[in-house]
Amino acid sequence: MAIRYLAPTGTAGTVPELKVSPLAERSGLRVVGEVGLATYEVWEGALEQAVRGDGDVYHLELSSVTFVDVAGTGALAAAAQRMGDGRRIVLNRPPHALRRVLEMFWPDLSSIEVSMS
């Protein structure tokens, strides 16, 4: 059974999507869409790639992510905590709300770096 989401006007909207694709220029993924209940499995798969990667730095290009719920932020923090010593996830241009929740609940998590450039 699919979950129906209502658009702000009260009409039925489309189910949120989350698309991931590899970055061509560096180790990581470009993420597009929304991170929430309907897309959580895709998000967890992307984070698992980061954890399993073998480089010191794994980039998540998030400039086209419009929303990340608290559970999605928690999954990101948990993945970062599972990274090996000296490894980190770099969030490239994440949504403001994601940065804010990370600052509030995981202020000392050194395995996540935020880049606004």
Side-chain angles (χ1 to χ4, degrees):
M1 178 174 169
I3 298 172
R4 291 182 52 199
Y5 292 85
L6 296 180
T9 61
T11 61
T14 60
V15 174
E17 290 185 330
L18 188 67
K19 297 178 184 177
V20 296
S21 58
L23 292 172
E25 64 279 1
R26 57 189 171 207
S27 175
L29 294 172
R30 179 174 319 285
V31 184
V32 177
E34 297 181 14
V35 177
L37 180 62
T39 61
Y40 192 77
E41 285 184 39
V42 175
W43 179 240
E44 282 217 313
L47 296 174
E48 190 59 33
Q49 286 185 35
V51 171
R52 291 185 181 186
D54 56 2
D56 289 340
V57 179
Y58 196 87
H59 293 267
L60 291 176
E61 170 54 57
L62 302 176
S63 62
S64 295
V65 172
T66 57
F67 174 76
V68 179
D69 67 6
V70 174
T73 306
L76 172 63
Q81 290 169 338
R82 293 192 334 257
M83 302 286 279
D85 287 337
R87 295 187 65 223
R88 69 185 189 282
I89 298 173
V90 176
L91 307 178
N92 300 104
R93 296 181 284 168
H96 176 74
L98 173 60
R99 294 190 320 262
R100 185 71 183 124
V101 172
L102 284 171
E103 289 171 3
M104 287 173 42
F105 293 104
W106 296 277
D108 299 322
L109 189 55
S110 62
S111 52
I112 292 181
E113 177 183 325
V114 174
S115 173
M116 294 310 293
S117 57

